[in-house]
Amino acid sequence: QLLGLSIVALSTVTRFGLHFTLISNIAFESNSYKVIHNTAFRVGMCLGMTLILAALLSSMATVRESERLTAMGFFCFALAFCGLIPAAFWRYSHRTEVEDSMMDVYDFVYEEVRKNASSFRRQELTAIHETFLCCGKRSPFGETADVERRTCLPGRPGAAEEDCLREIQDFLKKHMGFVSALLAITICF
């Protein structure tokens, strides 16, 4: 039950967390992030609910000493296992797809603001900077663009030096670390 609840909690954070919903609301048609975001939530909820149901059926089977409930519990565990294997395979075979799609969204918004200063995307870029506590993209030549001066909040210590692409990458590495650990523990169980 704890594993099921953990998966449900992680899926809920992934779906409704500020960092993820901000990027999902901005995602444009040709970007795959919105599809990945919604699919991850649905798959996580289904796996979590299946594990919770399996645990409840197993508990009831133990108390009632029922062979049918035991069989139904094992069937639910088998369904969960059959769902976890493809999820783990996708996670390891498409390691950078989520990261790339999130960075594509940031690049798209950044370039839209750079091209058109009065664009409504400026508010979205400012929201990304506030959420990820970062400011713009760093040039290898050390110059800052006018975009950073217009969309980065003054007075945030440390935020002005942080590259948003690096911050998005670091945030996702931490989150995907939790996902990988939970997948591994659940598969082993």
Side-chain angles (χ1 to χ4, degrees), residues 78-144:
L79 281 178
F81 183 76
C82 289
L84 286 166
I85 295 301
F89 177 76
W90 187 91
R91 165 68 184 103
Y92 289 107
S93 65
H94 296 85
R95 229 175 245 277
T96 62
E97 192 169 332
V98 175
E99 181 180 308
D100 292 344
S101 63
M102 280 183 89
M103 288 184 180
D104 287 346
V105 170
Y106 181 78
D107 285 336
F108 171 76
V109 173
Y110 185 88
E111 290 304 317
E112 286 291 314
V113 171
R114 193 175 64 75
K115 290 177 189 174
N116 184 3
S118 64
S119 171
F120 71 94
R121 299 279 184 198
R122 182 176 176 188
Q123 294 173 341
E124 294 173 341
L125 186 63
T126 303
I128 292 172
H129 289 166
E130 290 175 4
T131 302
F132 285 96
L133 299 176
C134 60
C135 185
K137 299 191 289 188
R138 294 292 159 241
S139 168
F141 305 110
E143 55 193 42
T144 57

Side-chain angles (χ1 to χ4, degrees), residues 143-158:
E143 55 193 42
T144 57
D146 191 39
V147 174
E148 282 86 359
R149 285 189 281 277
R150 287 182 281 145
T151 60
C152 296
L153 297 176
R156 282 237 189 207

Side-chain angles (χ1 to χ4, degrees), residues 18-27 33 102 105 128 132 168:
L18 179 62
H19 294 83
F20 297 107
T21 55
L22 177 67
I23 298 293
S24 181
N25 290 337
I26 296 172
Y33 180 74
M102 280 183 89
V105 170
I128 292 172
F132 285 96
I168 290 170

Side-chain angles (χ1 to χ4, degrees), residues 33-108:
Y33 180 74
K34 199 173 274 193
V35 173
I36 294 170
H37 186 237
N38 291 329
T39 304
F41 173 70
R42 289 183 185 118
V43 168
M45 292 303 280
C46 288
L47 286 173
M49 294 300 175
T50 303
L51 284 172
I52 291 170
L53 179 63
L56 288 173
L57 288 172
S58 297
S59 298
M60 287 175 45
T62 302
V63 170
R64 292 187 179 182
E65 297 179 6
S66 171
E67 292 177 7
R68 288 183 183 160
L69 289 175
T70 303
M72 289 171 53
F74 279 119
F75 179 72
C76 287
F77 278 121
L79 281 178
F81 183 76
C82 289
L84 286 166
I85 295 301
F89 177 76
W90 187 91
R91 165 68 184 103
Y92 289 107
S93 65
H94 296 85
R95 229 175 245 277
T96 62
E97 192 169 332
V98 175
E99 181 180 308
D100 292 344
S101 63
M102 280 183 89
M103 288 184 180
D104 287 346
V105 170
Y106 181 78
D107 285 336
F108 171 76

